[in-house]
């Protein structure tokens, strides 16, 4: 994302390799198959609380096993 970028957005994790996760992330040119480290995701996954700071939300994610 170009700075300042959105404070919140969604992405879909489509796979993993060792400690890295593969994501499809809409809204950016290089979002298809983008690799994130586990540390980056754990530091960024937050629930949106309207009117609060980005860092105030608890860690939240949804896992689907189809």
């Amino acid at each position: 994302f170009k700075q300042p970028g959105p404070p919140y957005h969604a992405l879909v994790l489509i796979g993993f390799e060792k400690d890295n996760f593969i994501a499809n992330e809409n809204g950016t040119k290089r979002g298809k198959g983008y690799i994130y480290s586990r540390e980056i995701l754990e530091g960024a996954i937050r629930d949106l609380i309207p009117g609060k700071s980005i860092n105030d939300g608890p860690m939240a994610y949804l896992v689907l096993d189809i």
Side-chain angles (χ1 to χ4, degrees), residues 15-64:
F16 61 93
E17 299 172 339
K18 297 185 182 182
D19 284 339
N20 295 317
F21 291 88
I22 305 165
N24 278 348
E25 188 167 1
N26 63 345
T28 181
K29 291 180 191 176
R30 298 180 203 104
K32 184 176 182 180
Y34 195 86
I35 305 293
Y36 284 100
S37 70
R38 181 182 53 110
E39 292 81 14
I40 293 292
L41 282 178
E42 286 179 352
I45 296 173
R46 297 284 177 249
D47 199 5
L48 174 63
I49 300 175
K52 297 283 187 169
S53 167
I54 293 170
N55 296 318
D56 287 341
M59 184 182 290
Y61 52 90
L62 175 65
V63 177
L64 301 174

